[in-house]
């Protein structure tokens, strides 16, 4: 039997994941609707449904986009409101923003939001309190903990496959971002810049190895990764190197991946509904 992997889209515009404060976002070219529709077309042509973790800021400005995604049969999850690092927020600010982000999605779709992906995977040992807040707001699963260590994210010794977590008086399912273990190290392979940097054959090998062990992969993509013509702006080198890398190859690569493996929305893979 083929293992069903979780396909997730971190649904944000190209300038929103660049550590630019959200009060400055109004100055950048908004490309999320045409790019979002293009992504919906690719998924439709491939016959694949995904989970869209949608930023609250985007949902407030483009409710019709959220409706189109939902009506196409995809799952709607939350990516928070302002794309801020959770470990730099207070629990109070996180709760206020998350409440706003979840409510706007639920008002548009009329359906409960069950899943959460943190901006920059920023649930780390410093921000585990966030899980309790998510549980209070009715979130049933999270997919934010990256079992690697990086300058911005990761819990190096966290489990690599889905597991249940205590979050106050609730239990959340956690679906970690997938890694492939090579020579004792967890190598990130499952999306974003890693998907664009490694040759496709490497990603495919990793998927096969993980699926052969019976585990599902949690894969993620951003809409702007299939939009190679989005504006170039000056950025710190550590960010610009990965942000703009190999964008022109991503769409074809993504289509191949969708053809080579089986995917479903994350909530369905976890059996959370
Ligand atoms: Zn993001």
């Amino acid at each position: 039997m083929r293992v069903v992997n979780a396909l997730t889209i971190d649904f944000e515009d190209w300038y929103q994941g660049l550590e630019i404060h959200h009060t400055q976002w109004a100055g950048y070219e908004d490309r999320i609707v045409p790019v979002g529709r293009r992504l919906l077309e690719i998924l439709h042509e491939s016959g694949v449904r995904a989970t869209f973790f949608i930023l609250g800021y985007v949902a407030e400005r483009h409710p019709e986009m959220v409706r189109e995604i939902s009506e196409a049969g995809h799952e709607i999850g939350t990516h928070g409101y302002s794309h801020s690092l959770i470990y730099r927020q207070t629990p109070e600010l996180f709760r206020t923003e998350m409440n706003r982000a979840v409510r706007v999605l639920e008002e548009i779709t009329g359906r409960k939001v069950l899943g959460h992906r943190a901006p920059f995977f920023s649930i780390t040992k410093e921000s585990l309190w966030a899980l309790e807040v998510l549980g209070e707001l009715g979130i049933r699963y999270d997919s934010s903990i990256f079992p690697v260590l990086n300058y911005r994210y990761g819990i190096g010794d966290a489990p690599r496959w889905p597991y249940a977590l205590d979050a106050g008086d609730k239990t959340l399912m956690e679906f970690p971002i997938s890694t492939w273990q090579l020579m004792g190290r967890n190598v990130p392979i499952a999306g974003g810049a890693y998907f664009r940097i490694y040759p496709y054959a490497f990603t495919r090998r990793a998927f096969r190895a993980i699926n052969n062990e019976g585990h599902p992969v949690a894969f993620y993509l951003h809409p702007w990764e299939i939009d190679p013509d989005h504006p170039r702006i000056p950025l710190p080198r550590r960010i610009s190197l990965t942000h703009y890398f190999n964008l022109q190859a991503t769409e074809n690569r993504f289509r191949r991946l969708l053809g080579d493996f089986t995917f479903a929305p994350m909530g369905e893979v976890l059996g959370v509904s």
Side-chain angles (χ1 to χ4, degrees):
M1 200 184 80
R2 292 194 92 180
V3 175
V4 180
N5 300 291
L7 181 62
T8 67
I9 309 293
D10 288 0
F11 201 74
E12 66 201 37
D13 216 331
W14 63 274
Y15 52 85
Q16 293 170 333
L18 295 175
E19 300 186 38
I20 299 167
H21 196 263
H22 64 96
T23 52
Q24 322 257 301
W25 286 353
Y28 295 95
E29 184 190 339
D30 194 336
R31 295 169 76 93
I32 192 73
V33 172
V35 178
R37 289 194 175 133
R38 172 126 196 80
L39 187 54
L40 285 179
E41 253 172 57
I42 295 171
L43 294 173
H44 179 72
E45 286 165 19
S46 304
V48 176
R49 288 177 309 115
T51 297
F52 283 65
F53 293 112
I54 301 180
L55 202 63
Y57 183 97
V58 169
E60 284 183 358
R61 279 155 188 81
H62 301 289
E64 75 291 353
M65 187 77 248
V66 178
R67 219 169 286 125
E68 283 172 42
I69 296 168
S70 178
E71 283 170 4
H74 302 288
E75 180 189 9
I76 306 293
T78 176
H79 196 36
Y81 184 79
S82 65
H83 216 283
S84 307
L85 290 159
I86 295 176
Y87 51 78
R88 296 222 187 110
Q89 291 190 308
T90 61
E92 292 68 36
L93 179 59
F94 177 73
R95 181 181 287 105
T96 304
E97 284 202 353
M98 188 55 61
N99 189 48
R100 182 172 175 180
V102 168
R103 296 311 151 227
V104 64
L105 293 173
E106 291 183 346
E107 275 166 27
I108 296 167
T109 65
R111 285 155 61 189
K112 291 287 294 170
V113 170
L114 303 177
H116 169 258
R117 156 91 29 83
F120 307 114
F121 310 112
S122 58
I123 296 187
T124 62
K125 282 187 174 156
E126 289 74 57
S127 49
L128 288 171
W129 49 261
L131 297 166
E132 195 172 329
V133 178
L134 292 172
E136 283 167 23
L137 293 173
I139 297 293
R140 304 270 309 282
Y141 75 87
D142 174 71
S143 178
S144 310
I145 299 180
F146 215 141
V148 294
L149 277 181
N150 172 292
Y151 74 94
R152 208 156 52 179
Y153 53 75
I155 299 180
D157 56 356
R160 293 172 57 225
W161 313 118
Y163 58 103
L165 279 171
D166 286 331
D169 55 358
K170 302 264 176 42
T171 302
L172 285 188
M173 287 300 293
E174 174 66 30
F175 201 140
I177 313 302
S178 296
T179 53
W180 190 21
Q181 215 160 44
L182 287 177
M183 291 179 289
R185 295 184 55 136
N186 294 346
V187 179
I189 44 98
Y194 305 110
F195 181 56
R196 288 179 282 118
I197 291 167
Y198 300 133
Y200 178 68
F202 180 83
T203 304
R204 191 175 50 200
R205 243 174 70 209
F207 262 75
R208 281 188 184 144
I210 293 168
N211 284 176
N212 284 342
E213 289 170 25
H215 299 296
V217 174
F219 181 84
Y220 66 98
L221 186 88
H222 304 89
W224 52 262
E225 292 182 284
I226 57 158
D227 179 23
D229 300 325
H230 73 261
R232 296 296 194 264
I233 57 169
L235 291 166
R237 202 173 144 73
R238 69 181 155 80
I239 296 176
S240 66
L241 269 181
T242 53
H243 181 89
Y244 293 114
F245 189 85
N246 212 13
L247 295 172
Q248 68 293 339
T250 308
E251 180 178 329
N252 277 337
R253 205 175 259 205
F254 181 54
R255 286 179 183 271
R256 283 185 74 182
L257 184 78
L258 296 182
D260 285 343
F261 297 92
T262 307
F263 290 95
M266 186 169 269
E268 289 182 21
V269 174
L270 288 173
V272 172
S273 58

